[in-house]
Structures are given as structure tokens and as C-alpha cells.
Amino acid sequence: MNAPSDPDEVVLEFEAVSKWYGPVIGLNQVSLKLQGGITGLVGSNGAGKSTLLRLATGQLKPSIGRVLVRGEDAWTWRAKALVGYCPDNDAFYEDMTGRDFVRAMARLCGFGAADANHRTEEVLARVTMTDRADRQLRGYSKGMRQRIKLAQALLNDPRLLVLDEPLSGIDPIGRQEMLELFRGLAAEGKCLLVSSHELEELEKLTDHVAILARGRIAALGTVSRIRDLLDDQPLSIRIDADDPRRLATMLLSRPDIVGVDFPTPQTLIVRARNPRRFFEDFNELATDETLRITRLEPLDDSTHAILGYLLGGSGKT
Amino acid sequence: MPPELLHYRALGGVTGGPWRGVKAIARTGVLLLARRKFFWILYAFSLMIFLFYFFGQYLWVFLASHVQDALIRTGGVFGRLISPEALIKSLRDTMHLDGSAETFGDFIWTEGYIAVVILAFAGSVLVGNDFQHNSLPFYLSKPISRRHYIFGKCLAIAMLINCLTTIPAIGLFVEYGFIETWDYYYDNFGLFLGILAYGGAITISMSLLLLTTATWLRRTVPLVMVWTAIFVMARLVQRWLVDGIGLSPRWRLIDFWNDLYLFGMWCFGKDHRWLRPTNQEQPEYWEAAAAIVTVCLLCLLYLRRRVRAVEIIS
């Protein structure tokens, strides 16, 4: 039985972990500590997300360093008993029913026959698949497959739940249900590590993200905290004004402005190095000078933009 | 829907260790195979062979105990009277339905061919698909290791093989004791051990061979082709090499099924000179055993490499 959840307990810990695939490095000196709650994992293709998830679930052994789940080496079966994994691929035994598949996975978790049946019904109910679980897997929609995968990940009541693209292929109503479910699991003190390309969905779920870039953790924390750390990075701001060239001339005299651009005659894109100081200065400027500003919009007030900064412009996901 | 309405509760039970997962893997594998019609068709063939031996043994004992001195007239233009004892002796020497080492050896040999065909088709279902469709993460993220995965798959294959060979052979052994005398069990306990040893050798070697070829080839058609090469082509080639162009009998060692048969006869304590067919020179028993061990070691070496590579390809 898993011990009661302590929200302050470190559930997943990477200690200077590196992983090589032959001469190719998949993860480079990653150190990470996760407690209860939801953490989003984002990064471009090839950034090392899958490697990190597989290390966390004990499917890979680190080349250097240690991966610990509640102090247990993630490679051991005791650690795996604390982890639930919902992979991104959905290669099932297609002629099995959903119920049979989840039951088989329950037996694999080490449950006896009666417990496996009982637990199977519980997790199927939790992902709202009870009434559809007797159909063969080959007849399932993408969303139903995602639910079945989630169900098998919940079987052992895991302390750490690792979800690889869990919202992929689910309709909007289903998404809302799944997001509610994830929030409910996090509220129980579980640690959820959610990898997704759906950054907007991820931001609805949590503002605590880990950003991976080229095998390294580029940033970890809340989106706003990461933004604070980005003060030295240029921030793009769109300004619509009646005389953008005059405004640009005034702005360029400020030390934090590193560049301006004119995508349209009425629009100015400013790149500022210290966003907070820039906005303070801009307030003074806008009130002192006789300028008519019709629009002021940071172009990167989202994880997308943070990615762009951190990955040197290659942060498209 | 709020979680509290979904009848979900935190886990209060205790899960077993990884060896319980091994059983689950084996059980899942066998159930997957049991869903296929071809398996039941081949299993029916296997059952027919068993029933032939089962009733054949009974018939032989029945004839031996009831037909004593009377002569039997054979039919046809050149009909003649023959002694029933001579007929029974002929049946016994030809069909070996007398509860002897040959009975069990021949039975396992024959059933083994059905097992080989089933395994050739089952390899992709049991093992290959996990690699082909990348479903290993479902297994390996559960509280088991790669070693348990291999054990589980081997156990599934072993269950199949033993259901077709060892267990029916033990059934024949028990049956013969019932229809003859209880002393049969005491006098022929070595045969019982021989059945277990022969069945064990087939189980271990065939499990490893199937696991190896299935992880290598993954798909059914290549798997069937390779198994045909191992169990049919190799047999033809060894006959041509030894009987055709007169090379050393050691060339028969390339026929893996023959190696297993020789090992089985060794376990039954059968004299090397009386192996069927008697006009064929065979390698020594120990040489056959060494060939089997070599194949098993090669399979283990390959599996070790392959399973270490799983983390790259999965």
C-alpha cells in the first residue's frame, strides 16, 4: 500500500543525470526535484522529453547520475510500484476488450485475481469508461484509448503519475473532464508530470513547467518565475501608435531597448532587455509625450514565447 | 464529473512482487493465443495423436491379455494363418504402444512437431508484436524488470509446449500403469524421470529459441520461414550430408529436433545402438546434449544483447 501523500515530500529526483544512446546524448546533467502537484514538461522535438519520462518510469537506466522515486532507485520494481505511466503510443492487444486489457495490467502490477477485478472497475469508473469497457480495443476512438491508458496508469494508486501527451486526440468535453481528473489527482497530493505539445492546454492545467532544451532543463518553475529569470533576455512588445517612427526614436535612447521593427506602418515591435524596467519607463514616456498609443501587447506572454527565448528561436513545438 | 462520484478510492491492498507479474505475462500470452482459431485446430491435431496413443496402448494390452493361442486367418488370395503373438509383437515393434521408452520418445517426438508449428505461428503473437508495435512500455513501466518480462514470455511458451508434450506423455505413463500393473510405476520410474527431462529440455531450448527468433524477426512470415529452415531444411540437409555423401554422423547435429530426440533417448536410458531408424548412424548422446546447450547459450547471449537494446528501440 502506498503511504499517505505528503505534499512537501520529494517524489521524483534527478541527480545530475545524463543518458547517452551510443554517441548521442539524450539527457545532459539534468538535476530536478518534483513534489506533489502538476508539473508540465515542454520542449521541442528531440529536446529529451521522452528520455526524461522513460528515466522517471524506470524504463531506462541513466548513464550517469541517479533517478529516485521517493528515495528508491527508479530502476527497481519497488520504485516502479509507486509510478503510473501513460505512454504516448497506444499499441495495445487490439483483440482484447478494454476491461481485459486493464485487468491484465492490474495482474502485471502484482494484484491477485479478486483485487485485480476490483481495482479494474475502480479505475475504469474514474476515467468514465465502465460502460464502454467491454468493446474490443480495435474499435476504440483515440480519446477512448487515452482513457484506457490512463486507467491502467492509475491501477496501483501511484504517487508519481507520468503522462505523455495525455490530452492528444480527446474532444473538448473530454479534455475538460480529463483536466478535472488531473486536478483531482493533484489535489490528493500526487505528483503529476505531464508532457504535452498542447502548451495552451498545459497552461490551463498548471503554471509550473519544466522546459527542456537540447537535453538540459532550461527552466523550472512557474511561468511568472521563469519570466522573472528572463529579465536579461529581450522581450518582444507590439505597440500600435499614430507615429511609430517617432516613438521608436525616443525608445532607442533607452539603454534596455535592443531593437525595433516596423511590420506595418502603424505598428512597432520593440525588443526590450529588462521587461519590468521597460514598462515603468514606457508609462512615463506615454504620459509625458504627446503620443497616441492604441495598443500595447507583449508578444510572448505565454509558454510558447518562453520556449522561443530559451531555445534561441527554435522553440516551436 | 467530480472524482467522489466515480467510486474511486486510494489503493488499500498490497500488491505482490514482480514474480506475480511474471505469471500475469504468461497468462496474458496464453490467453492471446487461445483467441486464435489456428491454435485450436492444431491443438485438435495434437489431441488426436494423444488419443491414438491413449487408446492404442489400451488396445495393445487388451489384445495381449485376451488373444492367447488362437491362430488368426489373414484375408486375400494368399490368406494364411498367423500367430497373434507375432502380430502383437509386430504392432509393438512398429508402433511402440507398450509403455516403453520408445512409446514416450516417439510420442513426444510426434507431438513436438505440432508444437513447433504452433510456436512458429505464435511467436509474433506472444513476443514479436511487443517489439513490432512498441508496446513494451506498458510492461516495463510496471513493477517488473526486463528479466521478469523474459521469464514471463518463456513461461507462456513453456505452458504451450508442456500442454502438448510433457503433460500428455505423463498421462500415457499413468494410463499404462493403470491398465497393466501397479508395479509398472516402480519398475519404470526412470521413464517418468526421462519424460520430465526430455520435456524439460524441449521446454527450455524451444522457449529460448522462440524468444530469440521472435525478438529478432518479429513478424509471422519470416518467423515461419526461419523455423522451417531450422526444423525441416536442416533435417534434409543433414540426411544428404551423412546418408548421401557419407560425411561424419556429427553433421546430424545441425538438425536441432534430432538433437533433442537423442537427448530424450539418453534420458530414457535407451541404448544408442537401438535408436530408430536403426540403419542410421547417429552422433553420440553427449554431442547432442552439447549442441542443445550451445544453442541455448547462443540464444541467451542474443537475448541479453537484445534486451539491453530494448531501451533504445522502445
Side-chain angles (χ1 to χ4, degrees):
Chain A
M1 183 174 70
N2 293 345
S5 304
D6 172 9
D8 295 329
E9 180 193 28
V10 175
V11 179
L12 176 66
E13 183 172 7
F14 279 63
E15 289 181 354
V17 172
S18 295
K19 178 67 188 175
W20 280 277
Y21 300 109
V24 179
I25 190 159
L27 219 55
N28 188 1
Q29 287 287 311
V30 167
S31 292
L32 178 69
K33 282 185 182 179
L34 295 183
Q35 297 169 327
I38 304 172
T39 300
L41 182 66
V42 290
S44 57
N45 290 331
K49 292 197 301 292
S50 295
T51 301
L52 190 142
L53 296 185
R54 285 175 184 160
L55 284 163
T57 51
Q59 293 179 69
L60 293 182
K61 202 169 187 177
S63 307
I64 294 177
R66 289 199 307 168
V67 182
L68 303 172
V69 178
R70 288 181 90 180
E72 292 273 0
D73 189 335
W75 183 252
T76 64
W77 70 269
R78 283 189 179 80
K80 287 181 179 182
L82 303 168
V83 179
Y85 179 51
C86 178
D88 58 341
N89 71 311
D90 49 9
F92 297 133
Y93 298 116
E94 297 290 329
D95 50 357
M96 270 189 176
T97 66
R99 182 170 273 110
D100 285 345
F101 175 73
V102 177
R103 192 180 293 129
M105 291 293 114
R107 300 293 294 266
L108 205 55
C109 285
F111 289 106
D115 283 343
N117 288 337
H118 191 62
R119 196 67 193 162
T120 297
E121 295 309 317
E122 285 180 340
V123 294
L124 286 173
R126 182 136 207 195
V127 298
T128 61
M129 281 293 289
T130 302
D131 53 341
R132 294 168 285 181
D134 285 324
R135 285 162 56 181
Q136 283 191 326
L137 288 165
R138 65 162 58 91
Y140 277 7
S141 67
K142 179 82 175 167
M144 289 158 77
R145 285 168 173 262
Q146 292 286 12
R147 286 166 191 271
I148 287 292
K149 283 194 296 183
L150 183 61
Q152 63 83 31
L154 290 171
L155 279 164
N156 54 340
D157 190 24
R159 186 73 178 82
L160 170 66
L161 191 56
V162 179
L163 309 165
D164 199 353
E165 304 281 351
L167 300 171
S168 168
I170 300 184
D171 58 70
I173 296 171
R175 271 178 190 226
Q176 203 52 43
E177 286 180 4
M178 296 292 262
L179 291 176
E180 288 293 321
L181 181 60
F182 296 156
R183 289 190 191 107
L185 289 165
E188 292 169 12
K190 295 188 192 307
C191 174
L192 277 73
L193 181 58
V194 184
S195 156
S196 180
H197 283 114
E198 303 277 341
L199 297 180
E200 290 184 3
E201 288 292 348
L202 206 56
E203 284 182 285
K204 287 178 193 168
L205 191 62
T206 179
D207 69 342
H208 190 257
V209 295
I211 302 174
L212 265 178
R214 298 188 188 96
R216 287 178 177 272
I217 296 281
L220 174 67
T222 62
V223 174
S224 56
R225 170 80 179 128
I226 293 171
R227 172 58 50 82
D228 289 344
L229 295 173
L230 288 173
D231 274 351
D232 288 338
Q233 297 288 332
L235 169 72
S236 293
I237 301 140
R238 172 182 171 162
I239 305 170
D240 287 0
D242 56 354
D243 190 355
R245 292 189 178 277
R246 185 170 149 239
L247 178 60
T249 307
M250 287 189 282
L251 287 173
L252 281 171
S253 64
R254 314 271 165 164
D256 296 326
I257 304 301
V258 294
V260 294
D261 194 12
F262 299 94
T264 67
Q266 300 300 316
T267 303
L268 173 67
I269 304 291
V270 178
R271 284 188 292 127
R273 192 182 297 279
N274 187 325
R276 270 185 291 192
R277 197 160 62 199
F278 165 78
F279 283 117
E280 287 169 9
D281 289 354
F282 188 80
N283 283 342
E284 287 176 20
L285 192 72
T287 50
D288 291 351
E289 301 292 337
T290 54
L291 289 168
R292 185 164 173 269
I293 310 291
T294 55
R295 183 174 182 177
L296 178 68
E297 180 190 11
L299 294 179
D300 49 1
D301 195 18
S302 69
T303 314
H304 283 283
I306 296 173
L307 268 177
Y309 279 130
L310 293 174
L311 307 187
S314 63
K316 291 178 183 174
T317 55
Chain B
M1 193 179 293
E4 60 272 20
L5 297 179
L6 294 172
H7 313 293
Y8 180 85
R9 61 173 175 79
L11 174 62
V14 178
T15 56
W19 292 105
R20 194 177 267 183
V22 169
K23 274 171 56 187
I25 292 171
R27 185 172 169 275
T28 305
V30 172
L31 287 178
L32 280 172
L33 205 57
R35 291 169 193 270
R36 273 131 178 103
K37 283 180 189 165
F38 84 86
F39 169 76
W40 290 109
I41 292 169
L42 289 171
Y43 194 76
F45 275 114
S46 152
L47 201 60
M48 282 169 59
I49 295 168
F50 171 73
L51 291 175
F52 172 80
Y53 273 81
F54 186 87
F55 291 112
Q57 278 199 147
Y58 182 79
L59 184 65
W60 188 84
V61 172
F62 179 82
L63 285 174
S65 60
H66 286 77
V67 180
Q68 296 297 324
D69 301 322
L71 293 176
I72 298 174
R73 178 179 291 279
T74 59
V77 178
F78 304 104
R80 61 191 176 94
L81 293 172
I82 60 167
S83 161
E85 274 189 17
L87 178 63
I88 289 168
K89 183 175 182 301
S90 168
L91 285 172
R92 184 189 63 199
D93 292 345
T94 309
M95 306 180 83
H96 301 291
L97 296 172
D98 55 352
S100 63
E102 286 90 346
T103 307
F104 305 115
D106 288 356
F107 174 75
I108 293 176
W109 164 281
T110 314
E111 286 280 29
Y113 268 110
I114 303 284
V116 165
V117 176
I118 288 181
L119 292 179
F121 284 98
S124 63
V125 177
L126 284 173
V127 183
N129 283 350
D130 291 344
F131 288 79
Q132 179 78 9
H133 300 307
N134 201 9
S135 47
L136 279 176
F138 286 109
Y139 286 106
L140 299 182
S141 62
K142 293 285 181 279
I144 60 166
S145 66
R146 285 156 173 72
R147 187 180 43 156
H148 298 111
Y149 172 80
I150 289 177
F151 271 121
K153 292 296 180 183
C154 280
L155 186 58
I157 299 165
M159 285 162 71
L160 279 177
I161 292 171
N162 284 298
C163 281
L164 295 170
T165 56
T166 315
I167 293 172
I170 291 172
L172 291 178
F173 179 79
V174 172
E175 182 219 1
Y176 199 82
F178 271 120
I179 59 180
E180 202 182 53
T181 62
W182 291 97
D183 290 340
Y184 174 80
Y185 295 131
Y186 300 108
D187 297 340
N188 296 283
F189 192 69
L191 288 181
F192 178 74
L193 296 178
I195 292 170
L196 293 182
Y198 189 8
I202 291 178
T203 301
I204 293 169
S205 58
M206 298 291 275
S207 300
L208 290 173
L209 195 61
L210 181 66
L211 204 57
T212 303
T213 48
T215 52
W216 171 37
L217 300 162
R218 304 180 187 187
R219 304 182 74 150
T220 302
V221 173
L223 197 58
V224 170
M225 290 170 71
V226 166
W227 275 56
T228 305
I230 293 172
F231 293 102
V232 179
M233 294 299 291
R235 185 164 187 75
L236 297 174
V237 170
Q238 60 96 346
R239 278 184 180 170
W240 175 68
L241 291 174
V242 180
D243 302 329
I245 60 176
L247 293 182
S248 162
R250 286 200 176 96
W251 279 100
R252 293 199 200 281
L253 293 172
I254 64 171
D255 180 358
F256 189 62
W257 198 240
N258 191 55
D259 296 341
L260 283 168
Y261 178 71
L262 290 175
F263 180 77
M265 289 297 110
W266 195 15
C267 296
F268 286 128
K270 184 75 180 167
D271 193 313
H272 191 266
R273 290 169 298 175
W274 299 108
L275 288 175
R276 265 198 333 153
T278 48
N279 59 343
Q280 281 188 348
E281 281 188 282
Q282 292 283 356
E284 296 296 327
Y285 284 145
W286 69 267
E287 290 173 331
I292 294 168
V293 170
T294 304
V295 169
C296 290
L297 286 176
L298 288 174
C299 289
L300 282 171
L301 278 174
Y302 177 82
L303 283 173
R304 185 168 177 271
R305 281 191 60 205
R306 195 77 189 85
V307 170
R308 283 174 66 189
V310 161
E311 62 180 42
I312 297 173
I313 60 123
S314 65

